[in-house]
Amino acid sequence: MLRFLRSLMLFLAASFLLAGGVYLNTAAFHESWHGFVTRELAQHGVHLNFQRLTVNPFGGLVARGVKVFNDASKQHIVASVDRLNLDVDFGSLIEGRVKIDGMELLHASMALPVDPERPELTVIELKDLSARALLEERQLDIRHAEGLLSDGLRIMISGVLDLPEPKSDQPGASAQDRLIAIREHRVQIQHGLDWLARFHAPHVPMLSVKVSGALDRPQELKAELLFQADGLAFEDYVWKELVAEAEYDGGFIDLKRLHLVDHLGALEATATWRIGAEHLRFRLTSSADLPGLARAFFNNEQMREVVFYEAPQLALEGSIFLNKPGEGDFLPAEVTGRLDCGRFGSRGEVFNSLSLSLGATRDGIFVRDALLKHKTGSLALDVMQHRTLGFKYNLALRMDPNAFLPFVLLPKTREIIQRFVFDESSHIDVQVSCAGPSVNRIRECPTSGHGVLRHFRYKDVPFESAEMDLAFLGDFQNYANVQVQRPDGPAEAELVFVNDDDDEKWLRLVNVRATADAAGIVRAFAPKVADQIALYRFSPGTDVTANGTIGYKGNPQLNNYKVNFKNPVGGAHYVLWNEDYPINAPAGEVHIVGSMLNFDFGGRLFGDTLHAKGAVNLAPGVKGYDVEVRAGRFPYDVFGRKLPFEEVRADVRNREGISRINIAADVLGGGMTLKGSLNDNREPNTYEGELRMNALSFQRFAQVYSPGNESVGDISGHFKFTGRMNDWKALKGGGALIIVNGNLLALPVLGPLTPIIGAFLPSPIKGYNVAKKADCTFEVADGFIVTENIEAESSAFRIVSRGNVDFIRDDIDFNAEVRMRGLGILLFPVTQLLAYKGSGTLQDTHWSPRIFGGGNKDERKPPTEKELKEAQRIGGSPARPKAATQPPKQRALFGN
């Protein structure tokens, strides 16, 4: 019986414990004890709610689905925890009281809204959170708290916090202050986490926090923070070491040390800031990679283009304003500093060094004593932008500006720089100053200064030196008092004024004067005019003056300028028909109006006067020009001899590629005219025309072609023709020639025959060889001059000849018959009719009796009958007779 009672008691006890355990983990237990727990924690200033409360079999209570609120109103959630262990006094629990001695988290998760008033926005998440805190009297002793932020930061927290005294459940000022403080702190935390999320590291960075103070007085909380990270990388930029030490004391943050180490050097910084204050004080020194730092801290990708080969030295101190910038603020800062860096590169250009002092306020920024060094020289700069004082800069350029081309965005500026070419021997010294309303309105900023350049090229024109005053405003550029030295002489300009507006691009020249190469200085401003002047090859010392307005970049309608040139003792050259003609004492003018180039110049040619004027249309695709030339003397090669043409008058008119030519001159005591046309619209160019000679002195003709056989008489004739340039075989035409009272010895081809005939005449022969008349008609075709009716008649004999001249090969093939007239003398026993064969060249003709043969062995075949008829048609000659026995009439010789 005793054993049964003992067993029954054990069973009842076990049943009681089992029932109690089941009860403690049921909803009924949660509903009964929920209020006890929340009221107990509220007494300590901790306002929370939870979804379920159970008993931990190993001791304490377990609250699940916990939400922590800012105050007793439970409107604003400040944290969410999936599970919270509460240390309770079980003796008090059996007595119906709840006494919480501490709280513990084991591998829990916590969510902290950045803004408790709007928890649906950004939330900070803590994972694998383990913490141990004790509630002793009115204090919360955080022995250890460690967790992992979702963005990869391990955080450790410790410290002692004073809990608030129990108060009314109504929210008060302290709760509102706490809500504001929580929001401000977490906003800063979120900004830091957003920045940190851009990095990755081989090891999780560590943030240690030690806190103290009273929870109901958040403005008096204190904290010590230590952040450490190794190998923290942002894209290709790596911090080998990062250490930040800071203190927080009642809303005041003191960054005691920020230490960064990268591949170039280190950065050391300190800062102080009171939360809510408008500015943050800081001091910074750095020898680290500045572009990498800028990308990491400020997300500035443009700095990626800069590569430092040596550690830059940067020192900054001042204040950064954190509130919203005011209207008109340049920078939210007041800082001063100094930058010194060695060799660095950007966009393919390498610079040797850069040093400067800088400062910034809300009213403006300034850079002083900036000095940029390059292999070609240096750039010195002082610049300021101020709210009330405006924009100012002083610049001294002593380096090749082409080094800045990769950084120049404005096409106009790039174009101006690209006009200049410098080399190792160049010297550059350009100093300019600017003052205007704003850097954003720099086009309205008038700039002026002075420049000296040596050994350079401008628009591919070489210059030894150039010195000038400079002024710029918007699209306008002003170059005044220009002094230039070119390799072949000096030049100067009173003013060169440039309008670079997109709609109207023009430049105005005022007294641009050069005694150098006439075309050289003009080419820098007007290349087309320079091309025209260059044709004359003026000798050094030619005085060239240019004045007027030049339109460029497709605006020829703005052209209206003149170029005058003069050299009383010098010379020029002009190439005509592949012949180089020297002109002495050239003087004249080139006047451009729109697309028309008008020229008027004179000088001395072959010791006599020369004057030429005309106009050329320079418009693209337009063919048109007018030329009038007057020359007192113009020797020209005809049949291997220089004929002295005098009082030459040449007029050429070209319209749409068709040139009309009208040339007249005095030659050998008579007159000559040439009229025709040239078509340059096809290749090869074709031409046609008519040459006439009237009463040329036979005596002067013989002086040129047969010295020693001069006599009185005259020559007249004409030749009508067509052809193609540079193709003598294409020359076709016909004409006639007549000589009156001329010495037969002086005639080409026939001249060498007369001494042979003289063997049959009494001595002396003089007087018997004077031709009363000699004439012929001829055709030209396939490179031959063909005639069937040369007749020469003197008082003693009559010559009838026919044949051809291959003027391409200079080869002749003639037959001649001589008939003696009755002279009352006894002739040798020969027939009255003498026959001869002519061969050789025009200058060296050989005649021999036909019975002995003769002629050239390697003869080219003369034109066919069809080709000769075509030549007759062109020349307007009558039908060729089968045998020339009677002299043609003069009407037939010279056509209708």
Side-chain angles (χ1 to χ4, degrees), residues 18 20 60 85 110 121 213 220 250 267 295 312 317 334 351 376 403 415 432 447 571 689 798 896:
L18 179 61
N85 295 336
M110 178 180 288
L121 298 180
E220 298 178 7
L267 178 143
R295 296 200 310 272
E317 64 175 318
E334 287 184 359
F351 298 90
T376 61
E415 180 185 356
V432 294
T447 303
R798 178 170 174 259
N896 297 324

Side-chain angles (χ1 to χ4, degrees), residues 16-57:
F16 175 78
L17 291 175
L18 179 61
V22 172
Y23 169 72
L24 291 175
N25 287 278
T26 61
F29 175 82
H30 168 78
E31 293 173 358
S32 300
W33 294 93
H34 178 276
F36 295 142
V37 173
T38 55
R39 282 193 298 271
E40 172 68 15
L41 290 175
Q43 294 297 317
H44 297 284
V46 179
H47 305 281
L48 53 76
N49 202 348
F50 43 85
Q51 296 178 354
R52 188 178 179 188
L53 183 68
T54 61
V55 175
N56 188 337

Side-chain angles (χ1 to χ4, degrees), residues 331-345:
L331 282 178
E334 287 184 359
V335 297
T336 58
R338 176 79 186 175
L339 172 65
D340 294 279
C341 65
R343 189 165 171 262
F344 68 96

